[in-house]
Amino acid sequence: FTSTRDCLAPVRMSSENPLLLKQQNGNLISRMDSQGNIKQVVDNEKDDQAPSFFGKTFGGSQTSWNPFRKKSGLMRVMHAQTKKNRVVSKHGKINTFSRSEKANESHRLLKDFFTSMIDLSWSWTLFSFAASFYISWVIFAAIWYVVVYTHGDLDEMKPENHIVCVDNIVDFTSCFLYSLETQHTIGYGGRAVTEECPIAVIVMSFQSIVGVVIQACMAGIVFAKFTKPTGRAETIMFSKNALITLRNGAFYLVVRLADLRPTHLIECHVSGHFMAKETTEEGEEIPYHLASMSVGSNIDGTTDYIQPFWPIIVSHKIDEDSPLYQMAPRDFQSKQFEIIITLEGVTPETGCSVQVRTSYLPSEILWGQRFEHSTVVYDKEMSKYAVSYGTLNNFLEDRTPRCSAKEYEERNGRKSSNISNSASSNSLLSP
């Protein structure tokens, strides 16, 4: 491969991405461009906000708490770089939002009430949990107050043979306490409905049914949030960089992933997408086109089904069907695209589906590197395989040619053609 490596210019480090300095002054921040000039620019970065029931934020200034989100300093730089120009962040978050002036279909979320409640933050879920009970208690307390008031139970001068609808009801406070006791079947014994008022019996029965329905719905929402597999996705690790290496005479894009839990995901499948600007033959420009990429656990990039017993390498073969087929190392410094890797599986504990994703920008794809195979070692003393996740991102430099896969195949094709022509001419000259 020496002649192939020398035929092309080496890769240059890109300086197009400006550095974000620590200094900040109100809405202005200091940025350094590629020439080293410091300029004051407006900070247009918006922090993620907790969604409301309709998928919007509660107020313009409320943000979800994040220890890595700072107004200034190194953590702000790291947080900004992880989201910059990405569709999918390194942690798998989708970097999109809906414009409030154009998203007028929020009422459709009411048709999916249960999912909308699950998507709320924990603070709003607990608030809704408590509010649903308090509101029902107050509403039925008002109903009980109307029942006893119309029956004359609250009059100071009652006839001697007057039978009340509910014993020991004297004001609205006692109606509220009786409403609470009835809905949750507490039954302290101080207040009880009598046979005098049929409407009181009907209200008591109806409130008992409503209380069971509210309790069942809220308990189901809280349980669904506990079993939501978002936390399980945090135990899936991806390598920080994707590598391009030569395997068995073909170029491959390789990524390493691992499952930290000993009870691994089952029915795991991996897929890839390539997002870039595309232009059709008719001149139609698609600014953000998502194209599928075949990714597999085999060496040749086939079989998307994987078994994450230990950190494994998934690969994408760069052939004529690959969007990376005509890209050389120098192209990764000038073109803009994003490669999204998605892992889907099922948790054996709850049976819920989990989808984990990450993305790689051109600056995060290293050419001529391969992963170091030191994550799994057999321990003879324990008779088990020792797995190390600390070496997940370790890689070594290899002798991958610094040219595109298309150019590499053309060179090999011409070389094979020359060899075959020489062999045929020698056979004709031989006696």
Side-chain angles (χ1 to χ4, degrees):
F1 305 114
T2 304
S3 60
T4 310
R5 291 173 58 89
D6 296 338
C7 66
L8 294 177
V11 180
R12 296 185 177 91
M13 298 301 294
S14 174
S15 60
E16 295 178 357
N17 295 331
L19 293 176
L20 177 64
L21 301 183
K22 299 179 182 180
Q23 181 181 1
Q24 180 177 357
N25 183 14
N27 294 330
L28 298 178
I29 58 175
S30 299
R31 288 185 181 272
M32 180 182 295
D33 57 13
S34 58
Q35 287 76 27
N37 301 320
I38 299 178
K39 299 180 180 179
Q40 294 287 334
V41 297
V42 179
D43 184 14
N44 294 324
E45 181 183 355
K46 297 181 180 179
D47 293 330
D48 299 332
Q49 297 183 347
S52 66
F53 179 81
F54 296 102
K56 300 180 180 179
T57 55
F58 288 102
S61 61
Q62 296 182 2
T63 58
S64 58
W65 182 81
N66 189 337
F68 293 98
R69 184 177 294 113
K70 303 291 183 181
K71 291 301 181 182
S72 62
L74 179 61
M75 291 302 179
R76 177 180 175 85
V77 178
M78 296 173 59
H79 179 70
Q81 291 298 324
T82 57
K83 298 194 307 179
K84 187 176 182 180
N85 298 331
R86 290 182 180 274
V87 175
V88 178
S89 68
K90 297 297 289 185
H91 302 287
K93 302 296 183 181
I94 307 297
N95 192 26
T96 60
F97 73 99
S98 299
R99 296 186 182 274
S100 57
E101 66 273 10
K102 295 182 179 180
N104 297 322
E105 302 296 333
S106 299
H107 64 279
R108 295 179 180 271
L109 298 177
L110 286 173
K111 299 179 180 180
D112 193 9
F113 177 82
F114 188 78
T115 304
S116 300
M117 290 294 295
I118 294 176
D119 290 339
L120 289 177
S121 62
W122 269 109
S123 58
W124 284 103
T125 299
L126 296 178
F127 175 79
S128 302
F129 186 88
S132 61
F133 286 109
Y134 271 99
I135 292 174
S136 63
W137 295 339
V138 172
I139 291 176
F140 279 100
I143 295 175
W144 284 114
Y145 187 84
V146 172
V147 170
V148 297
Y149 180 81
T150 55
H151 191 257
D153 296 346
L154 301 181
D155 296 340
E156 296 182 359
M157 303 297 297
K158 295 189 289 290
E160 296 181 357
N161 59 348
H162 181 78
I163 301 177
V164 297
C165 293
V166 182
D167 294 331
N168 299 324
I169 295 293
V170 294
D171 53 11
F172 184 80
T173 302
S174 57
C175 290
F176 178 81
L177 294 176
Y178 179 69
S179 174
L180 191 153
E181 296 174 15
T182 301
Q183 185 164 326
H184 295 280
T185 63
I186 296 176
Y188 289 121
R191 285 169 286 271
V193 68
T194 64
E195 301 87 354
E196 179 65 20
C197 302
I199 187 63
V201 178
I202 296 174
V203 172
M204 181 187 65
S205 304
F206 183 71
Q207 184 177 3
S208 299
I209 296 173
V210 171
V212 171
V213 172
I214 294 177
Q215 189 171 359
C217 292
M218 297 310 300
I221 292 173
V222 173
F223 178 78
K225 286 185 69 68
F226 272 117
T227 58
K228 196 175 179 180
T230 53
R232 182 63 174 90
E234 298 296 331
T235 60
I236 306 298
M237 297 177 59
F238 291 91
S239 58
K240 295 181 180 179
N241 297 96
L243 311 179
I244 292 182
T245 184
L246 189 67
R247 285 181 168 183
N248 298 330
F251 283 80
Y252 287 90
L253 174 78
V254 294
V255 175
R256 184 146 60 183
L257 56 88
D259 187 358
L260 297 180
R261 285 197 173 275
T263 54
H264 304 294
L265 296 177
I266 57 178
E267 292 295 330
C268 289
H269 295 269
V270 64
S271 61
H273 288 84
F274 182 85
M275 194 208 72
K277 181 180 179 180
E278 293 289 341
T279 303
T280 62
E281 297 178 356
E282 293 76 14
E284 178 186 1
E285 291 188 357
I286 306 175
Y288 305 104
H289 175 66
L290 278 174
S292 298
M293 296 177 61
S294 58
V295 180
S297 58
N298 290 345
I299 294 181
D300 59 353
T302 58
T303 308
D304 61 346
Y305 176 77
I306 65 174
Q307 287 285 359
F309 297 145
W310 45 64
I312 63 173
I313 297 176
V314 295
S315 59
H316 162 72
K317 186 176 182 180
I318 305 178
D319 52 13
E320 58 274 6
D321 297 328
S322 173
L324 305 175
Y325 184 60
Q326 299 182 7
M327 290 189 185
R330 59 180 178 273
D331 297 328
F332 283 77
Q333 308 302 323
S334 58
K335 294 188 176 180
Q336 295 183 355
F337 61 88
E338 183 174 351
I339 295 177
I340 303 171
I341 304 297
T342 305
L343 175 67
E344 299 181 19
V346 179
T347 58
E349 297 84 0
T350 61
C352 297
S353 298
V354 180
Q355 187 178 84
V356 194
R357 63 181 72 89
T358 191
S359 68
Y360 298 95
L361 297 179
S363 59
E364 297 169 342
I365 301 176
L366 305 181
W367 194 286
Q369 307 287 336
R370 59 179 175 85
F371 284 109
E372 181 181 353
H373 298 281
S374 59
T375 56
V376 182
V377 178
Y378 183 76
D379 192 334
K380 295 182 179 180
E381 295 182 358
M382 300 186 64
S383 299
K384 293 182 179 180
Y385 290 92
V387 180
S388 174
Y389 298 100
T391 59
L392 184 74
N393 298 303
N394 291 3
F395 52 85
L396 303 172
E397 185 177 1
D398 59 14
R399 298 179 61 84
T400 301
R402 307 193 73 86
C403 59
S404 65
K406 180 180 180 181
E407 185 178 354
Y408 179 76
E409 291 183 2
E410 290 176 352
R411 290 178 179 273
N412 286 345
R414 288 197 296 267
K415 185 177 180 180
S416 301
S417 177
N418 293 334
I419 294 175
S420 61
N421 292 336
S422 300
S424 60
S425 60
N426 292 335
S427 62
L428 293 174
L429 295 175
S430 62

PDB file of all heavy atoms in Angstrom, residues 60-85:
ATOM      1  N   GLY A  60     -41.077  31.258  29.112  1.00  0.00           N
ATOM      2  CA  GLY A  60     -39.924  31.418  28.251  1.00  0.00           C
ATOM      3  C   GLY A  60     -38.597  31.276  28.965  1.00  0.00           C
ATOM      4  O   GLY A  60     -37.578  31.062  28.348  1.00  0.00           O
ATOM      5  N   SER A  61     -38.572  31.427  30.309  1.00  0.00           N
ATOM      6  CA  SER A  61     -37.305  31.435  31.025  1.00  0.00           C
ATOM      7  C   SER A  61     -37.072  30.182  31.830  1.00  0.00           C
ATOM      8  O   SER A  61     -36.034  30.054  32.459  1.00  0.00           O
ATOM      9  CB  SER A  61     -37.257  32.647  31.956  1.00  0.00           C
ATOM     10  OG  SER A  61     -38.306  32.580  32.904  1.00  0.00           O
ATOM     11  N   GLN A  62     -37.989  29.252  31.870  1.00  0.00           N
ATOM     12  CA  GLN A  62     -37.828  28.045  32.661  1.00  0.00           C
ATOM     13  C   GLN A  62     -37.076  27.012  31.847  1.00  0.00           C
ATOM     14  O   GLN A  62     -37.400  26.744  30.707  1.00  0.00           O
ATOM     15  CB  GLN A  62     -39.190  27.486  33.072  1.00  0.00           C
ATOM     16  CG  GLN A  62     -39.959  28.434  33.982  1.00  0.00           C
ATOM     17  CD  GLN A  62     -41.286  27.842  34.408  1.00  0.00           C
ATOM     18  OE1 GLN A  62     -41.602  26.725  34.050  1.00  0.00           O
ATOM     19  NE2 GLN A  62     -42.047  28.588  35.170  1.00  0.00           N
ATOM     20  N   THR A  63     -36.077  26.422  32.452  1.00  0.00           N
ATOM     21  CA  THR A  63     -35.258  25.416  31.789  1.00  0.00           C
ATOM     22  C   THR A  63     -35.133  24.217  32.670  1.00  0.00           C
ATOM     23  O   THR A  63     -35.248  24.300  33.897  1.00  0.00           O
ATOM     24  CB  THR A  63     -33.855  25.970  31.473  1.00  0.00           C
ATOM     25  OG1 THR A  63     -33.235  26.393  32.696  1.00  0.00           O
ATOM     26  CG2 THR A  63     -33.930  27.156  30.516  1.00  0.00           C
ATOM     27  N   SER A  64     -34.894  23.053  32.053  1.00  0.00           N
ATOM     28  CA  SER A  64     -34.670  21.835  32.816  1.00  0.00           C
ATOM     29  C   SER A  64     -33.281  21.862  33.416  1.00  0.00           C
ATOM     30  O   SER A  64     -32.328  22.307  32.798  1.00  0.00           O
ATOM     31  CB  SER A  64     -34.836  20.607  31.908  1.00  0.00           C
ATOM     32  OG  SER A  64     -33.929  20.691  30.832  1.00  0.00           O
ATOM     33  N   TRP A  65     -33.146  21.359  34.632  1.00  0.00           N
ATOM     34  CA  TRP A  65     -31.878  21.430  35.331  1.00  0.00           C
ATOM     35  C   TRP A  65     -30.882  20.481  34.706  1.00  0.00           C
ATOM     36  O   TRP A  65     -31.178  19.331  34.415  1.00  0.00           O
ATOM     37  CB  TRP A  65     -32.087  21.071  36.793  1.00  0.00           C
ATOM     38  CG  TRP A  65     -30.818  21.167  37.598  1.00  0.00           C
ATOM     39  CD1 TRP A  65     -30.255  22.288  38.116  1.00  0.00           C
ATOM     40  CD2 TRP A  65     -29.953  20.083  37.951  1.00  0.00           C
ATOM     41  NE1 TRP A  65     -29.104  21.985  38.776  1.00  0.00           N
ATOM     42  CE2 TRP A  65     -28.891  20.639  38.704  1.00  0.00           C
ATOM     43  CE3 TRP A  65     -29.969  18.711  37.709  1.00  0.00           C
ATOM     44  CZ2 TRP A  65     -27.866  19.869  39.203  1.00  0.00           C
ATOM     45  CZ3 TRP A  65     -28.952  17.935  38.207  1.00  0.00           C
ATOM     46  CH2 TRP A  65     -27.910  18.514  38.954  1.00  0.00           C
ATOM     47  N   ASN A  66     -29.685  20.982  34.487  1.00  0.00           N
ATOM     48  CA  ASN A  66     -28.615  20.181  33.911  1.00  0.00           C
ATOM     49  C   ASN A  66     -27.312  20.649  34.525  1.00  0.00           C
ATOM     50  O   ASN A  66     -26.956  21.824  34.394  1.00  0.00           O
ATOM     51  CB  ASN A  66     -28.572  20.348  32.389  1.00  0.00           C
ATOM     52  CG  ASN A  66     -27.621  19.353  31.738  1.00  0.00           C
ATOM     53  OD1 ASN A  66     -26.700  18.844  32.365  1.00  0.00           O
ATOM     54  ND2 ASN A  66     -27.849  19.075  30.471  1.00  0.00           N
ATOM     55  N   PRO A  67     -26.579  19.780  35.224  1.00  0.00           N
ATOM     56  CA  PRO A  67     -25.342  20.222  35.871  1.00  0.00           C
ATOM     57  C   PRO A  67     -24.272  20.643  34.884  1.00  0.00           C
ATOM     58  O   PRO A  67     -23.352  21.352  35.233  1.00  0.00           O
ATOM     59  CB  PRO A  67     -24.912  18.980  36.670  1.00  0.00           C
ATOM     60  CG  PRO A  67     -25.562  17.824  35.976  1.00  0.00           C
ATOM     61  CD  PRO A  67     -26.860  18.362  35.449  1.00  0.00           C
ATOM     62  N   PHE A  68     -24.362  20.207  33.615  1.00  0.00           N
ATOM     63  CA  PHE A  68     -23.368  20.559  32.624  1.00  0.00           C
ATOM     64  C   PHE A  68     -23.710  21.852  31.877  1.00  0.00           C
ATOM     65  O   PHE A  68     -22.942  22.295  31.051  1.00  0.00           O
ATOM     66  CB  PHE A  68     -23.195  19.434  31.602  1.00  0.00           C
ATOM     67  CG  PHE A  68     -22.589  18.203  32.198  1.00  0.00           C
ATOM     68  CD1 PHE A  68     -23.386  17.144  32.591  1.00  0.00           C
ATOM     69  CD2 PHE A  68     -21.227  18.102  32.382  1.00  0.00           C
ATOM     70  CE1 PHE A  68     -22.832  16.011  33.139  1.00  0.00           C
ATOM     71  CE2 PHE A  68     -20.665  16.972  32.934  1.00  0.00           C
ATOM     72  CZ  PHE A  68     -21.462  15.926  33.318  1.00  0.00           C
ATOM     73  N   ARG A  69     -24.892  22.422  32.151  1.00  0.00           N
ATOM     74  CA  ARG A  69     -25.290  23.634  31.460  1.00  0.00           C
ATOM     75  C   ARG A  69     -24.900  24.829  32.308  1.00  0.00           C
ATOM     76  O   ARG A  69     -25.467  25.065  33.371  1.00  0.00           O
ATOM     77  CB  ARG A  69     -26.794  23.632  31.186  1.00  0.00           C
ATOM     78  CG  ARG A  69     -27.260  24.840  30.381  1.00  0.00           C
ATOM     79  CD  ARG A  69     -28.731  24.758  30.060  1.00  0.00           C
ATOM     80  NE  ARG A  69     -28.996  23.653  29.169  1.00  0.00           N
ATOM     81  CZ  ARG A  69     -29.680  22.583  29.516  1.00  0.00           C
ATOM     82  NH1 ARG A  69     -30.147  22.480  30.741  1.00  0.00           N
ATOM     83  NH2 ARG A  69     -29.894  21.609  28.663  1.00  0.00           N
ATOM     84  N   LYS A  70     -23.927  25.578  31.856  1.00  0.00           N
ATOM     85  CA  LYS A  70     -23.438  26.735  32.578  1.00  0.00           C
ATOM     86  C   LYS A  70     -23.537  27.974  31.676  1.00  0.00           C
ATOM     87  O   LYS A  70     -23.547  27.879  30.453  1.00  0.00           O
ATOM     88  CB  LYS A  70     -21.980  26.544  33.012  1.00  0.00           C
ATOM     89  CG  LYS A  70     -21.755  25.299  33.868  1.00  0.00           C
ATOM     90  CD  LYS A  70     -22.394  25.419  35.226  1.00  0.00           C
ATOM     91  CE  LYS A  70     -22.086  24.199  36.084  1.00  0.00           C
ATOM     92  NZ  LYS A  70     -22.720  24.281  37.399  1.00  0.00           N
ATOM     93  N   LYS A  71     -23.598  29.136  32.312  1.00  0.00           N
ATOM     94  CA  LYS A  71     -23.621  30.376  31.553  1.00  0.00           C
ATOM     95  C   LYS A  71     -22.247  30.736  31.005  1.00  0.00           C
ATOM     96  O   LYS A  71     -22.136  31.517  30.083  1.00  0.00           O
ATOM     97  CB  LYS A  71     -24.145  31.522  32.441  1.00  0.00           C
ATOM     98  CG  LYS A  71     -25.619  31.388  32.793  1.00  0.00           C
ATOM     99  CD  LYS A  71     -26.480  31.366  31.545  1.00  0.00           C
ATOM    100  CE  LYS A  71     -27.946  31.252  31.900  1.00  0.00           C
ATOM    101  NZ  LYS A  71     -28.787  31.172  30.699  1.00  0.00           N
ATOM    102  N   SER A  72     -21.222  30.223  31.608  1.00  0.00           N
ATOM    103  CA  SER A  72     -19.881  30.490  31.120  1.00  0.00           C
ATOM    104  C   SER A  72     -18.985  29.371  31.595  1.00  0.00           C
ATOM    105  O   SER A  72     -19.354  28.579  32.462  1.00  0.00           O
ATOM    106  CB  SER A  72     -19.371  31.840  31.637  1.00  0.00           C
ATOM    107  OG  SER A  72     -19.298  31.812  33.048  1.00  0.00           O
ATOM    108  N   GLY A  73     -17.797  29.299  31.018  1.00  0.00           N
ATOM    109  CA  GLY A  73     -16.831  28.318  31.466  1.00  0.00           C
ATOM    110  C   GLY A  73     -16.680  27.170  30.506  1.00  0.00           C
ATOM    111  O   GLY A  73     -17.297  27.098  29.433  1.00  0.00           O
ATOM    112  N   LEU A  74     -15.864  26.202  30.908  1.00  0.00           N
ATOM    113  CA  LEU A  74     -15.522  25.084  30.046  1.00  0.00           C
ATOM    114  C   LEU A  74     -16.711  24.182  29.788  1.00  0.00           C
ATOM    115  O   LEU A  74     -16.874  23.647  28.686  1.00  0.00           O
ATOM    116  CB  LEU A  74     -14.386  24.287  30.694  1.00  0.00           C
ATOM    117  CG  LEU A  74     -13.900  23.050  29.919  1.00  0.00           C
ATOM    118  CD1 LEU A  74     -13.367  23.459  28.551  1.00  0.00           C
ATOM    119  CD2 LEU A  74     -12.833  22.321  30.721  1.00  0.00           C
ATOM    120  N   MET A  75     -17.597  23.973  30.794  1.00  0.00           N
ATOM    121  CA  MET A  75     -18.742  23.095  30.612  1.00  0.00           C
ATOM    122  C   MET A  75     -19.692  23.623  29.550  1.00  0.00           C
ATOM    123  O   MET A  75     -20.308  22.853  28.817  1.00  0.00           O
ATOM    124  CB  MET A  75     -19.478  22.914  31.948  1.00  0.00           C
ATOM    125  CG  MET A  75     -18.709  22.110  32.964  1.00  0.00           C
ATOM    126  SD  MET A  75     -18.296  20.466  32.337  1.00  0.00           S
ATOM    127  CE  MET A  75     -17.384  19.818  33.725  1.00  0.00           C
ATOM    128  N   ARG A  76     -19.811  24.950  29.450  1.00  0.00           N
ATOM    129  CA  ARG A  76     -20.681  25.517  28.416  1.00  0.00           C
ATOM    130  C   ARG A  76     -20.112  25.235  27.037  1.00  0.00           C
ATOM    131  O   ARG A  76     -20.847  24.956  26.089  1.00  0.00           O
ATOM    132  CB  ARG A  76     -20.836  27.023  28.640  1.00  0.00           C
ATOM    133  CG  ARG A  76     -21.672  27.707  27.559  1.00  0.00           C
ATOM    134  CD  ARG A  76     -21.803  29.189  27.820  1.00  0.00           C
ATOM    135  NE  ARG A  76     -22.501  29.819  26.723  1.00  0.00           N
ATOM    136  CZ  ARG A  76     -23.815  29.899  26.607  1.00  0.00           C
ATOM    137  NH1 ARG A  76     -24.566  29.342  27.538  1.00  0.00           N
ATOM    138  NH2 ARG A  76     -24.371  30.487  25.582  1.00  0.00           N
ATOM    139  N   VAL A  77     -18.793  25.336  26.916  1.00  0.00           N
ATOM    140  CA  VAL A  77     -18.154  25.046  25.635  1.00  0.00           C
ATOM    141  C   VAL A  77     -18.384  23.597  25.241  1.00  0.00           C
ATOM    142  O   VAL A  77     -18.736  23.287  24.097  1.00  0.00           O
ATOM    143  CB  VAL A  77     -16.647  25.354  25.716  1.00  0.00           C
ATOM    144  CG1 VAL A  77     -15.967  25.013  24.400  1.00  0.00           C
ATOM    145  CG2 VAL A  77     -16.433  26.819  26.060  1.00  0.00           C
ATOM    146  N   MET A  78     -18.222  22.667  26.190  1.00  0.00           N
ATOM    147  CA  MET A  78     -18.420  21.251  25.908  1.00  0.00           C
ATOM    148  C   MET A  78     -19.868  20.971  25.537  1.00  0.00           C
ATOM    149  O   MET A  78     -20.142  20.215  24.598  1.00  0.00           O
ATOM    150  CB  MET A  78     -18.007  20.428  27.126  1.00  0.00           C
ATOM    151  CG  MET A  78     -16.529  20.531  27.465  1.00  0.00           C
ATOM    152  SD  MET A  78     -16.123  19.715  29.026  1.00  0.00           S
ATOM    153  CE  MET A  78     -16.669  18.047  28.650  1.00  0.00           C
ATOM    154  N   HIS A  79     -20.807  21.594  26.264  1.00  0.00           N
ATOM    155  CA  HIS A  79     -22.223  21.362  25.961  1.00  0.00           C
ATOM    156  C   HIS A  79     -22.598  21.904  24.600  1.00  0.00           C
ATOM    157  O   HIS A  79     -23.361  21.291  23.854  1.00  0.00           O
ATOM    158  CB  HIS A  79     -23.081  22.011  27.046  1.00  0.00           C
ATOM    159  CG  HIS A  79     -24.555  21.863  26.822  1.00  0.00           C
ATOM    160  ND1 HIS A  79     -25.214  20.666  26.941  1.00  0.00           N
ATOM    161  CD2 HIS A  79     -25.502  22.766  26.459  1.00  0.00           C
ATOM    162  CE1 HIS A  79     -26.486  20.832  26.679  1.00  0.00           C
ATOM    163  NE2 HIS A  79     -26.697  22.096  26.382  1.00  0.00           N
ATOM    164  N   ALA A  80     -22.053  23.083  24.243  1.00  0.00           N
ATOM    165  CA  ALA A  80     -22.371  23.674  22.940  1.00  0.00           C
ATOM    166  C   ALA A  80     -21.797  22.858  21.805  1.00  0.00           C
ATOM    167  O   ALA A  80     -22.437  22.687  20.758  1.00  0.00           O
ATOM    168  CB  ALA A  80     -21.837  25.109  22.885  1.00  0.00           C
ATOM    169  N   GLN A  81     -20.603  22.329  21.985  1.00  0.00           N
ATOM    170  CA  GLN A  81     -19.983  21.564  20.912  1.00  0.00           C
ATOM    171  C   GLN A  81     -20.696  20.240  20.669  1.00  0.00           C
ATOM    172  O   GLN A  81     -20.697  19.711  19.558  1.00  0.00           O
ATOM    173  CB  GLN A  81     -18.504  21.301  21.247  1.00  0.00           C
ATOM    174  CG  GLN A  81     -17.650  22.565  21.221  1.00  0.00           C
ATOM    175  CD  GLN A  81     -17.612  23.204  19.856  1.00  0.00           C
ATOM    176  OE1 GLN A  81     -17.604  22.531  18.843  1.00  0.00           O
ATOM    177  NE2 GLN A  81     -17.590  24.537  19.826  1.00  0.00           N
ATOM    178  N   THR A  82     -21.289  19.651  21.737  1.00  0.00           N
ATOM    179  CA  THR A  82     -21.989  18.377  21.558  1.00  0.00           C
ATOM    180  C   THR A  82     -23.276  18.537  20.772  1.00  0.00           C
ATOM    181  O   THR A  82     -23.779  17.567  20.216  1.00  0.00           O
ATOM    182  CB  THR A  82     -22.307  17.740  22.915  1.00  0.00           C
ATOM    183  OG1 THR A  82     -23.095  18.657  23.695  1.00  0.00           O
ATOM    184  CG2 THR A  82     -21.039  17.401  23.675  1.00  0.00           C
ATOM    185  N   LYS A  83     -23.848  19.747  20.719  1.00  0.00           N
ATOM    186  CA  LYS A  83     -25.096  19.972  20.004  1.00  0.00           C
ATOM    187  C   LYS A  83     -24.913  20.719  18.695  1.00  0.00           C
ATOM    188  O   LYS A  83     -25.849  20.803  17.905  1.00  0.00           O
ATOM    189  CB  LYS A  83     -26.075  20.776  20.872  1.00  0.00           C
ATOM    190  CG  LYS A  83     -26.488  20.117  22.153  1.00  0.00           C
ATOM    191  CD  LYS A  83     -27.686  20.799  22.759  1.00  0.00           C
ATOM    192  CE  LYS A  83     -27.498  22.270  22.914  1.00  0.00           C
ATOM    193  NZ  LYS A  83     -28.666  22.955  23.487  1.00  0.00           N
ATOM    194  N   LYS A  84     -23.737  21.260  18.450  1.00  0.00           N
ATOM    195  CA  LYS A  84     -23.546  22.156  17.321  1.00  0.00           C
ATOM    196  C   LYS A  84     -23.700  21.410  16.001  1.00  0.00           C
ATOM    197  O   LYS A  84     -23.033  20.409  15.751  1.00  0.00           O
ATOM    198  CB  LYS A  84     -22.156  22.797  17.418  1.00  0.00           C
ATOM    199  CG  LYS A  84     -21.920  23.873  16.377  1.00  0.00           C
ATOM    200  CD  LYS A  84     -20.586  24.525  16.599  1.00  0.00           C
ATOM    201  CE  LYS A  84     -20.352  25.634  15.586  1.00  0.00           C
ATOM    202  NZ  LYS A  84     -19.046  26.281  15.788  1.00  0.00           N
ATOM    203  N   ASN A  85     -24.597  21.934  15.156  1.00  0.00           N
ATOM    204  CA  ASN A  85     -24.812  21.418  13.801  1.00  0.00           C
ATOM    205  C   ASN A  85     -25.187  19.938  13.793  1.00  0.00           C
ATOM    206  O   ASN A  85     -24.934  19.240  12.812  1.00  0.00           O
ATOM    207  CB  ASN A  85     -23.570  21.637  12.937  1.00  0.00           C
ATOM    208  CG  ASN A  85     -23.236  23.108  12.780  1.00  0.00           C
ATOM    209  OD1 ASN A  85     -24.116  23.950  12.826  1.00  0.00           O
ATOM    210  ND2 ASN A  85     -21.962  23.410  12.615  1.00  0.00           N
TER     211      ASN A  85
END
